[in-house]
Amino acid sequence: MELFLIFTIVGSPLIAFLMIALLPHRLKRIAPLLSISFIFLSFLSSLLFFLKHPQIQETPFEVQWTWLQANRNLSFNVGFLMDRLNLLMLFVVSLVSFFVQVFSVAYMADEGRGQSRYFAFLSLFSFAMINLVASNNLLQTFIFWELVGLASYLLIGFWYQKPSATEASRKAFVVTRLGDLGFYLAVALLTLHLGNLNFSALNSPEAIQSLSGGMITLVTLLIFTGVMGKSAQFPLHIWLPDAMEGPTPVSALIHSATMVAAGVFLTARNYALFSASSISMETILIFGTLTAFVGATLATIQNDIKKILAYSTISQLGMMMMALGAGSFEAGMFHLTTHAFFKSLLFLASGALIHHFHTNDIWEMAQKGSRSQVLTLLVIAVGGLSLAGIFPFAGFWSKDLILEALEHKPVFHAAALLVSFFTSYYVFRLLFILYFRSETPHAHEEHHESSLLTFCMNFPLISLAVGSLIVGFMGTDLMHHKLLKFISPEAEGKLSIELMMTGTGIAVLGLAVAYWNYLKRKIQPPITATGFRRVLEKKYFMDDLFEKVFGRMVLAFSAFLNWFDKQMVNGKMVNGTAWSTLRLGALLTKVQSGELQDYLMIVFVIASAVIYFLVK
Amino acid sequence: MSESLIAYLLLSGTLAAIGVYGFLERRNLIGILISIELILNAASINFLAFNKFVSPDKGLGQAIVLLIIGLAAAEATLALSIILVLYRGMTSINIEEANHLKG
Amino acid sequence: MTLQNLIFIILSVTTLAAAVMAVSFKKVIYNAFSLMLCLGGIAGIFFLLSSEFLAVMEIIVYVGAIAIAIIFAIMFSPPHFMHQPERNWPKTVRSIAISAFFFATLYKVLTTTPWGMSTTQEADFSIQHLGKILLGIYTLPFEVISIILFIAILGALLMARKREAHE
């Protein structure tokens, strides 16, 4: 029964993907239905699994089969592990996937033919992501890690007619691959030194003792490079803002809620291993802080609503990493959960705006009368307040938990406060521009969509808004820390009043500055770039750096490779091989004269020779 | 000499070698058939020689040679009919022209 | 030199000479006649090996049936059927070399193998004994040979038959 449930959880999106891919043309219209129902099935199964195993916190459920048995010390397994950590992730992934897919029905309604391709890719992504989460060993995780990357590539480049979209998908693919190289090396090293890649074995005290300290540091740092690529950590964050070229629901699902959180999840998964190396933990903390700061500051100057959210995602991922690096595993995972809800909510709401106004620019939206979209603005407010960490929204609880975790590291604590100031600033900037700076809408321009599509658009927004409220409370005293206890039974989750006050104070300060800038001084776009702002507009010169340094290096290297490929590989090796094969073949055809007696001669010579030299 | 095994074996060996030569050199299919008969007979001589000097049961070698003669008869019949069919198809029995399997 | 030895030498020389002729003449009909001579010599050798019955069978089956069948096949064929092209010297040399190597191999095997000579004196070469074992313990090979002969004759007839209806 457990096995059946697990297979339903991990397999149903694959079935959906295959069915959609194989649908005959006339039936392509039911693709969304298939995709949605199968992901819902997956969600229901994980819920059922949880209900059948309420004690999953104490006793994880694991099944595995041997895939390859090299020798007694080295075997590769396929298997699934169900414990508190990935059950939580399964809920998040399948639920957010479900809402995003429902929303996509409305958002992609005008796509026509492309719709079935879109839903097929979404199902593929869900399949890969759920399997990534459910795998019980590092190699399997790595395989699905790459598959998620592929699905992300396919979906960013969904509008392949747009050169910028294909460009962005390529960038995302290449940059994350750069990080995955490290991950791959880590897998290889661990295989070499432990021979068993199961998470339970990796994180067992024996394994950690059998590895030298340097090796643990090396391996965890290598894994972290993979995490940096996937979770858009500085300096590999550059692909994420470009990834916004994809359809907005995709950004909501992949590039905010689930896939980019995979890095955080992986770190949490191997937390025992990571904690064994203080150097790695420090590195994670530093990179997390840098990422959080860079993301938050960059988000303050963007005018494209999706770019704001993208940089905000980067910054929030940095915050999660900070929590993990500071040693508070449950704070990181809790923030991941709440973030998944309120960020996908924000993305979907921005998708609704984009769908309505046909623009990404917040100033243009304001000009076209964004104030009329009351429901959308309301849910943006819920998500935004949550993001800014205003009481009592979800982000408030999780962010304060992170601040709490950082309390004994003053520098990082200050950095986190600074980040929350910027976060609150850009959130209120967005809200003020969209609501208070909005022109009066032209009422007659309304075009009515069918009620089903309106429902598909509003239902996920409302559900996610409610969900992100509830999720926040589940981590608090009011709900007896249900969620926190679920993540980690030892978690205390006590928040001190001073900390709450500081957090809220910082957020209110951000609000005040935003109020001053956008409602009192009425800053208008475009704003002349000076000083720090110019640095921001250049995105800390990271893209330039990559362009100049890495780009040049890569270009030179690829020029060399091109030469090498043409001259050596193609010229000498491939053509040479082909040529020599042909010559050899021509020589051998002489042997194949077709004449019986020639063959007989060979037979006699060989038979005689064998006998002659065998007989002593 | 007539009572030494080696003499008979050398005789049959020489006969077989001559047969092999004809087998490899002749282009006429009937010539090849003749060479095969020589090789078979060399084998028969071998069997009878061993029968006389080595085998304790003097009937065994003779029985085998009888079987060889029977097989040779069957082989000759078939070979001749194959030659006939080949000739009908190619209007020649030169084995060097039957090289359609040339690579 | 005993009479037996003399006979053995004469028979051997005849047989080998006839064998050489059987493979070296250019005209096939000469080859066939040489083969008959060679087979006669071999029958004599069988006689020397105390297998009188087989000597007779050799004459009857080989000389009387197989060689005659070959000669008939030659004589019933149109003249150009037997056209013999010029000798291909490289091929001849190659064949001689290979058969010499083959002979060398046989020679090495023959001379290096210790043949365990039988010591039984009361040798029974009689035809009665042959008949008994052929229809006794060796019935199966005997029957198999008869089936092979039967199938070979059927197959030969089938193949050689002129196909009319289809063409």
Side-chain angles (χ1 to χ4, degrees), chain A residues 176-351:
Chain A
T176 46
R177 218 47 67 243
L178 200 64
D180 290 347
L181 184 65
F183 189 6
Y184 181 73
L185 288 176
V187 171
L189 275 177
L190 284 171
T191 311
L192 212 61
H193 284 271
L194 291 178
N196 187 345
L197 293 172
N198 283 13
F199 287 124
S200 47
L202 282 184
N203 293 295
S204 65
E206 302 90 63
I208 289 168
Q209 258 169 17
S210 71
L211 290 173
S212 68
M215 182 51 71
I216 293 181
T217 308
L218 179 64
V219 164
T220 46
L221 285 183
L222 283 175
I223 294 181
F224 186 62
T225 51
V227 170
M228 274 161 83
K230 197 63 94 190
S231 283
Q233 297 295 298
F234 180 87
L236 295 184
H237 66 279
I238 49 166
W239 66 270
L240 189 58
D242 289 18
M244 297 302 133
E245 287 290 340
T248 311
V250 168
S251 311
L253 176 62
I254 300 183
H255 305 118
S256 74
T258 54
M259 185 188 84
V260 289
V264 180
F265 167 76
L266 188 71
T267 315
R269 192 22 112 218
N270 295 303
Y271 205 63
L273 199 62
F274 273 92
S275 334
S277 162
S278 57
I279 301 176
S280 296
M281 293 299 266
E282 290 290 322
T283 315
I284 292 176
L285 187 56
I286 291 169
F287 274 102
T289 314
L290 268 176
T291 310
F293 184 75
V294 167
T297 46
L298 284 176
T300 58
I301 59 145
Q302 301 299 323
N303 292 329
D304 181 331
I305 187 164
K306 287 184 75 180
K307 287 273 163 70
I308 297 177
L309 295 177
Y311 281 113
S312 151
T313 305
I314 292 174
S315 134
Q316 296 302 307
L317 288 168
M319 292 284 277
M320 295 172 208
M321 279 301 173
M322 282 169 87
L324 291 178
S328 175
F329 158 85
E330 58 277 358
M333 282 309 287
F334 184 38
H335 195 55
L336 189 157
T337 315
T338 55
H339 174 258
F341 280 96
F342 66 70
K343 190 50 71 63
S344 54
L345 171 67
L346 280 171
F347 262 112
L348 289 186
S350 75

Side-chain angles (χ1 to χ4, degrees), chain A residues 589-590 592-597 599-601 604, chain B residues 20 23-24 26 32 95-96 98-99 101-103:
Chain A
T589 52
K590 296 247 168 67
Q592 296 285 344
S593 61
E595 288 186 19
L596 206 56
Q597 284 169 322
Y599 302 150
L600 280 171
M601 279 183 198
F604 271 106
Chain B
V20 168
F23 200 29
L24 295 179
R26 300 306 301 268
I32 290 175
I95 195 170
E96 287 181 353
N99 59 1
L101 284 177
K102 190 169 183 161

Side-chain angles (χ1 to χ4, degrees), chain A residues 484-520:
Chain A
L484 274 182
K485 291 277 188 238
F486 186 72
I487 296 170
S488 164
E490 302 95 53
E492 290 178 10
K494 279 267 177 294
L495 293 174
S496 60
I497 294 296
E498 305 93 74
L499 213 65
M500 284 160 117
M501 295 308 289
T502 336
T504 316
I506 289 288
V508 170
L509 193 65
L511 184 149
V513 177
Y515 176 79
W516 175 257
N517 270 352
Y518 290 93
L519 291 185
K520 277 271 177 261

Side-chain angles (χ1 to χ4, degrees), chain A residues 134-148:
Chain A
S135 340
N136 78 331
N137 65 71
L138 201 61
L139 186 67
Q140 199 181 339
T141 302
F142 181 70
I143 293 170
F144 286 106
W145 180 271
E146 296 298 322
L147 204 53
V148 201

